[in-house]
């Protein structure tokens, strides 16, 4: 089912892309990333010199939160993606972006997934949040508005979310953590960063082809767990 590309034999240009992106993102994320990301990055031992082995990372993640990494050749449609989340599996695209897409990649790629998502999977709160989202998505009828709402909730948290920490908004969404262009746009003083409100998030349009028009800031990390319970109540009465 999965593309088992051997990353140890990746082309030299792919290795260069990884190294340049790793250096630039770690510099940009200093004092901007959520503690959960920085802690996860350190535990994984990711480094600039080599594209990490997905199997080894998967074993580390599984030891911490019970998740597995699933190499795939291309991004999934939402239904297949959430089906994996429901099984505590996270798809990792094995293609890395080209040099001309350093600042912004319109689709998930190897760097986005390994650098942006995997460190956050070591956090039990986020890992459980994603698992619950996957289960909730599976429980909704195909084509239902509830599935679109669950995609929006995933998008504005795991992909483009921020959280308050010591009085400052910190980045934890993989789309931010892995994109220099998205970071610069997000921290611009003219970009709206409203407080996270579940009802607002659920009706906010999702776009993956350009920078986001706004980003939502969790007042506390624990609200991720709370919003899943709140959403379950909303879906039950819909």
């Amino acid at each position: 089912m999965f593309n088992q590309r051997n990353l140890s034999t990746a082309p030299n240009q792919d290795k260069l892309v990884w190294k340049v992106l790793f250096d630039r993102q770690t510099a940009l994320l200093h004092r901007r990333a959520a503690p959960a990301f920085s802690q996860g990055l350190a535990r994984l031992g990711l480094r600039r010199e080599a594209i990490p082995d997905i199997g080894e990372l998967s074993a580390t993640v599984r030891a911490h939160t019970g998740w597995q990494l699933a190499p795939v050749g291309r991004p999934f449609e939402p239904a297949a993606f959430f089906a994996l989340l429901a099984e505590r599996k996270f798809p990792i695209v094995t293609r890395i972006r080209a040099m001309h897409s350093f600042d912004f990649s319109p689709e998930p790629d190897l760097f986005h997934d390994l650098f942006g998502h995997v460190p956050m999977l070591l956090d039990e709160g986020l890992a459980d949040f994603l698992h619950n989202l996957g289960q909730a998505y599976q429980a909704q009828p195909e084509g239902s508005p509830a599935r679109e709402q669950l995609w929006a909730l995933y998008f504005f948290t795991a992909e483009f979310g921020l959280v308050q920490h010591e009085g400052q908004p910190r980045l934890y969404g993989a789309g931010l953590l892995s994109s220099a262009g998205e970071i610069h746009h997000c921290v611009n003083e003219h970009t709206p960063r409203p407080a996270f409100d579940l009802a607002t998030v659920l009706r906010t349009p999702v776009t993956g082809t350009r920078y986001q028009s706004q980003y939502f800031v969790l007042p506390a990390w624990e609200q991720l767990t709370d919003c899943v319970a709140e959403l379950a109540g909303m879906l039950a009465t819909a």
Side-chain angles (χ1 to χ4, degrees), residues 11-46:
N12 288 334
Q13 181 162 312
D14 287 359
K15 296 176 183 178
L16 177 61
V17 168
W18 173 271
K19 182 184 296 186
V20 173
L21 286 172
F22 190 96
D23 288 346
R24 189 158 68 167
Q25 292 309 110
T26 50
L28 277 173
L29 291 170
H30 179 63
R31 303 178 77 104
R32 287 188 173 128
F37 172 77
S38 302
Q39 293 162 7
L41 196 67
R43 287 176 182 172
L44 290 170
L46 296 187

Side-chain angles (χ1 to χ4, degrees), residues 74-75 93 95 97 104-109 112 208:
R74 54 183 171 75
V93 176
R95 175 196 60 81
R97 72 193 68 177
F104 177 79
S105 178
E107 286 189 336
D109 74 330
H112 169 273

Side-chain angles (χ1 to χ4, degrees), residues 149 152-153 156 194-205 214 216 230 234:
Q149 292 176 331
L153 178 56
F156 290 111
F196 182 94
D197 173 75
L198 181 59
T200 302
V201 169
L202 295 181
R203 62 173 180 264
T204 300
Q214 62 182 327
F216 296 96
E230 184 181 351
M234 293 171 63

Side-chain angles (χ1 to χ4, degrees), residues 154-227:
Y154 167 82
F155 195 81
F156 290 111
T157 52
E159 289 293 347
F160 294 103
L162 297 91
V163 61
Q164 284 287 346
H165 178 73
E166 296 181 345
Q168 297 294 326
R170 304 293 187 182
L171 315 177
Y172 73 89
L176 283 163
L177 296 169
S178 63
S179 170
E182 197 84 45
I183 290 174
H184 289 305
H185 177 69
C186 176
V187 302
N188 186 292
E189 62 180 4
H190 300 298
T191 301
R193 294 185 297 274
F196 182 94
D197 173 75
L198 181 59
T200 302
V201 169
L202 295 181
R203 62 173 180 264
T204 300
V206 168
T207 176
T209 57
R210 55 177 172 78
Y211 298 142
Q212 302 306 304
S213 58
Q214 62 182 327
Y215 305 84
F216 296 96
V217 185
L218 288 167
W221 195 234
E222 294 73 22
Q223 191 170 354
L224 268 182
T225 301
D226 296 341
C227 76

Side-chain angles (χ1 to χ4, degrees), residues 1 59 73 133 135 148 185:
M1 176 180 179
L133 278 189
Q135 291 183 316
E148 294 183 12
H185 177 69

